[in-house]
């Protein structure tokens, strides 16, 4: 039995993403248990003992090998890495077919105002509601609550400012929704984090020139367009 087959079996056996440390520990602990429970009547196969020394680097190499194999053999699934681990997932071109298995779950698309609000939070978190409104130029009370209810945003704490306003950030569900492993993997992450944002006090002035501060999940060129007003 090869390590690649064991790692593949672990990924198939769980519905939740598996981290590399989890997979490595599962292999090592199982190998040790088999070795310790061995007896003269039940000898240990030769391939088991080396698995007790499995490293995370070996597991990562196995994951890369599996991805290459699935691609070469043109499987309808592959491995994807999310914020909290790896999982087997159907390729995007089969999404419509897989969705037929869940007729009660409709795809919930984000509105343009929701995307704009979420983009500001994603790139500049933690951020206060006043900070978001200074960029968008409109009230975001309802939009923030909607995004929290959908599990894409969360309260991170309170800012060290007068009144101790709440700070908002994104969740792991946000990363999974947009298919990124971390905030650093978002489009133009480093560039957009350096953009100078207006403060809450500068809100009216910033509203006169929204094209200078608009944030978007789209490439930087598209980010220069004025934000759509929330209806």
């Amino acid at each position: 039995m090869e390590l690649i087959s064991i790692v593949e079996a672990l990924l198939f056996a769980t519905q939740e993403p598996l981290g590399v440390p989890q997979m490595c520990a599962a292999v090592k602990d199982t190998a040790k248990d088999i070795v310790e429970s061995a007896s003269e009547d039940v000898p240990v196969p030769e391939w088991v003992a080396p698995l007790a020394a499995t490293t995370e680097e070996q597991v990562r190499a196995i994951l890369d090998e599996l991805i290459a194999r699935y691609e070469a053999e043109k499987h309808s699934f592959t491995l994807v890495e999310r914020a909290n681990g790896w999982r087997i997932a159907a390729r995007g071109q089969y999404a419509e077919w897989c969705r037929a298995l869940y007729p009660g779950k409709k795809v919930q698309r984000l509105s343009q105002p929701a995307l704009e609000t979420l983009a500001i939070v994603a790139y500049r978190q933690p951020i206060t509601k006043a900070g978001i409104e200074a960029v968008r130029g409109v009230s975001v009370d309802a939009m923030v609550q909607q995004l929290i209810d959908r599990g894409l945003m969360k309260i991170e704490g309170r800012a060290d400012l007068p009144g101790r306003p709440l700070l908002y950030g994104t969740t792991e569900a946000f990363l999974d929704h947009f298919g990124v492993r971390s905030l650093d993997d978002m489009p133009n992450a480093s560039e957009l984090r350096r953009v100078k944002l207006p403060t809450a006090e500068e809100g009216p002035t910033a509203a006169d020139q929204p094209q200078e501060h608009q944030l978007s999940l789209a490439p930087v060129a598209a980010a220069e367009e004025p934000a759509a007003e929330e209806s």
Side-chain angles (χ1 to χ4, degrees), residues 46-63:
E46 294 182 359
W47 53 267
V48 172
L51 293 178
T54 300
T55 65
E56 293 185 12
E57 288 71 22
Q58 286 177 294
V59 174
R60 290 192 181 92
I62 289 295
L63 294 171

Side-chain angles (χ1 to χ4, degrees), residues 17-221:
L18 275 180
V20 170
Q22 287 176 282
M23 289 184 272
C24 186
V27 173
K28 293 170 64 175
D29 292 346
T30 303
K32 289 177 181 178
D33 289 343
I34 294 174
V35 171
E36 291 174 358
S37 62
S39 65
E40 293 182 0
D41 296 331
V42 185
V44 178
E46 294 182 359
W47 53 267
V48 172
L51 293 178
T54 300
T55 65
E56 293 185 12
E57 288 71 22
Q58 286 177 294
V59 174
R60 290 192 181 92
I62 289 295
L63 294 171
D64 290 337
E65 187 175 343
L66 284 171
I67 292 173
R69 176 190 292 182
Y70 297 157
E71 180 68 28
E73 297 176 356
K74 301 188 182 301
H75 286 290
S76 60
F77 56 87
T78 187
L79 294 181
V80 294
E81 185 179 10
R82 294 295 181 250
N84 50 353
W86 290 80
R87 67 187 307 172
I88 294 175
R91 295 187 186 276
Q93 59 264 41
Y94 301 101
E96 292 296 327
W97 305 95
C98 296
R99 196 172 294 126
L101 296 174
Y102 308 95
K105 293 185 177 181
K106 295 183 178 179
V107 177
Q108 297 183 339
R109 301 188 183 280
L110 294 172
S111 64
Q112 186 64 27
L115 279 173
E116 292 168 3
T117 301
L118 196 53
I120 295 168
V121 176
Y123 284 107
R124 306 310 286 259
Q125 61 187 301
I127 188 172
T128 64
K129 185 166 61 179
I132 303 170
E133 292 174 342
V135 179
R136 290 209 59 222
V138 296
S139 174
V140 297
D141 286 341
M143 197 58 60
V144 165
Q145 188 58 53
Q146 179 187 128
L147 292 169
I148 290 177
D149 291 342
R150 293 185 62 170
L152 298 174
M153 276 177 51
K154 63 181 178 180
I155 297 173
E156 295 279 9
R158 291 187 177 275
D160 189 16
L161 296 170
R164 303 283 289 170
L166 294 173
L167 288 167
Y168 298 94
T170 54
T171 64
E172 287 188 0
F174 163 83
L175 299 175
D176 196 52
H177 182 87
F178 289 99
V180 293
R181 293 174 298 174
S182 68
L183 297 174
D184 292 332
D185 290 338
M186 295 190 301
N188 310 303
S190 59
E191 293 88 344
L192 288 175
R193 284 173 183 163
R194 291 197 296 267
V195 174
K196 183 181 183 301
L197 298 183
T199 63
E201 293 74 16
E202 296 172 343
T205 302
D208 294 336
Q209 299 178 331
Q211 69 278 7
E212 295 181 5
H213 306 290
Q214 174 63 25
L215 294 181
S216 171
L217 289 178
V220 174

